[in-house]
Amino acid sequence: QIQLVESGGGSVQTGESLRLSCEASGNLANMHCVGWFRQVPDKEREGIAGIQRGSGATYYVNSDRARFTISQDSAKNTVYLQLNSLEPEDTAVYVCAAWFGHCRHVMRADPPYRGHGAQVIVSS
């Protein structure tokens, strides 16, 4: 089993930044891709980015979303998502998840492991 715990969410103004953290614990040997998606009520899950735990290679679901950056600290088993120049449309629950395999191929599938999410609210 893998446990994922997000932190760093909050309420900010338009143009501000947040850094979300996802700390992993458990049987991490099976955790190949760790990524983030966001959810808004009555809308489909929206993938953001993933990172290969072994190589550190990153994958961005939407290449136009240059405001967001994923990174990891392997020693801390923690993955980060830097959110810059936030807009009200970025308001959502940001969820950390883990998949088997390569991020580019697996992130569209339902993740076998996920956290409870971190709420981000952006006010204009």
Side-chain angles (χ1 to χ4, degrees), residues 9-122:
S11 297
V12 297
Q13 299 291 317
T14 297
E16 294 184 339
S17 300
L18 283 172
R19 189 177 78 159
L20 306 180
S21 299
C22 172
E23 184 174 358
S25 60
N27 186 6
L28 303 183
N30 291 327
M31 190 176 73
H32 303 152
C33 169
V34 180
W36 293 88
F37 61 87
R38 64 187 185 184
Q39 288 185 301
V40 176
D42 300 325
K43 289 189 176 181
E44 283 192 18
R45 179 181 76 211
E46 183 180 10
I48 301 172
I51 188 165
Q52 294 299 142
R53 188 167 168 269
S55 67
T58 58
Y59 167 68
Y60 291 88
V61 176
N62 183 349
S63 60
D64 293 334
R65 195 182 288 119
R67 298 178 293 120
F68 301 162
T69 304
I70 192 169
S71 62
Q72 69 177 351
D73 184 335
S74 299
K76 296 181 179 179
N77 291 321
T78 299
V79 172
Y80 304 99
L81 185 67
Q82 179 70 38
L83 309 174
N84 294 329
S85 301
L86 284 163
E87 303 166 352
E89 294 72 25
D90 296 317
T91 295
V93 175
Y94 287 71
V95 182
C96 176
W99 292 261
F100 309 108
H102 292 283
C103 293
R104 182 176 300 274
H105 303 305
V106 301
M107 282 190 64
R108 297 187 189 278
D110 287 337
Y113 305 103
R114 56 173 290 170
H116 293 293
Q119 177 73 60
V120 172
I121 299 173
V122 185

